[in-house]
Amino acid sequence: MTMAKPKAPRRTLESYSVKHMNKTIKAGDCVLMRPSDPSKPSYVAKIERIEADSRGANVKIHVRWYYRPEESIGGRRQFHGTKEVFLSDHFDVQSADSIEGKCIVHSFKSYTKLDAVGNDDFFCRFEYNSSTGAFNPDRVAVYCKCEMPYNPDELMVQCEGCSDW
């Protein structure tokens, strides 16, 4: 009878240098993760914890996923911005090798104040419950009397809900 090898203790890393992108990541950072399907856009995730084995190898990151509107139960709606993501309650462990780059997930307010939106800029104004499809808060700032939420990609334009300005 062979005894199972005891599982090597894993340790938490303060930060980790991602070789292929020459950047250091730490808990709290947001990153773009390579999807298994190359036709899909990169996944956006927030790093909760970084772990390695006792030799400092086999680095895994504990992430909390951001969902894009199309990945949510309700799908993309008119008022969702092109760079909008929802902070989900979906946690996961991924290999650090699947990190494609760092990104910034801004608050809605700071996103609307950006002079220019880069490829790595996203914003979040909702938390999303991946099992029920519920959003928190379930109400957001609205800029029209018909109560369509505001899409930050569109400057004051005609409301798609009621054609008012």
Side-chain angles (χ1 to χ4, degrees):
M1 179 176 146
T2 56
M3 294 295 286
K5 275 207 308 225
K7 212 166 156 46
R10 296 192 56 80
R11 57 195 179 101
T12 299
L13 304 180
E14 283 298 304
S15 64
Y16 174 68
S17 185
V18 183
K19 304 279 181 288
H20 63 268
M21 55 182 225
N22 220 345
K23 291 219 169 93
T24 300
I25 56 163
K26 57 188 189 313
D29 285 350
C30 293
V31 289
L32 295 167
M33 307 286 292
R34 187 181 319 109
S36 47
D37 175 349
S39 68
K40 288 208 157 73
S42 305
Y43 295 123
V44 181
K46 181 178 201 164
I47 298 174
E48 299 280 318
R49 197 164 87 242
I50 306 168
E51 275 186 351
D53 62 22
S54 54
R55 297 188 312 281
N58 188 13
V59 177
K60 299 268 188 246
I61 54 171
H62 292 246
V63 298
R64 183 173 180 181
W65 293 115
Y66 283 96
Y67 279 41
R68 294 177 191 265
E70 356 350 84
E71 296 158 351
S72 70
I73 291 174
R76 182 172 281 282
R77 304 269 305 275
Q78 293 171 311
F79 59 84
H80 289 141
T82 50
K83 305 302 293 280
E84 184 157 9
V85 290
F86 314 133
L87 184 61
S88 78
D89 56 352
H90 178 182
F91 293 85
D92 206 353
V93 180
Q94 292 282 315
S95 162
D97 296 338
S98 52
I99 296 173
E100 289 185 324
K102 279 170 100 162
C103 62
I104 303 169
V105 178
H106 300 271
S107 69
F108 180 72
K109 198 168 187 173
S110 64
Y111 179 83
T112 58
K113 294 190 171 126
L114 290 176
D115 290 332
V117 174
N119 280 338
D120 302 335
D121 288 308
F122 296 88
F123 75 91
C124 177
R125 58 181 158 176
F126 293 111
E127 287 196 12
Y128 176 69
N129 181 317
S130 57
S131 51
T132 64
F135 288 99
N136 181 27
D138 57 4
R139 297 187 61 77
V140 291
V142 292
Y143 283 79
C144 179
K145 57 181 180 281
C146 82
E147 305 232 315
M148 265 304 258
Y150 176 59
N151 179 339
D153 299 331
E154 296 164 8
L155 296 159
M156 261 327 262
V157 289
Q158 214 171 7
C159 171
E160 293 162 344
C162 68
S163 302
D164 199 355
W165 287 82

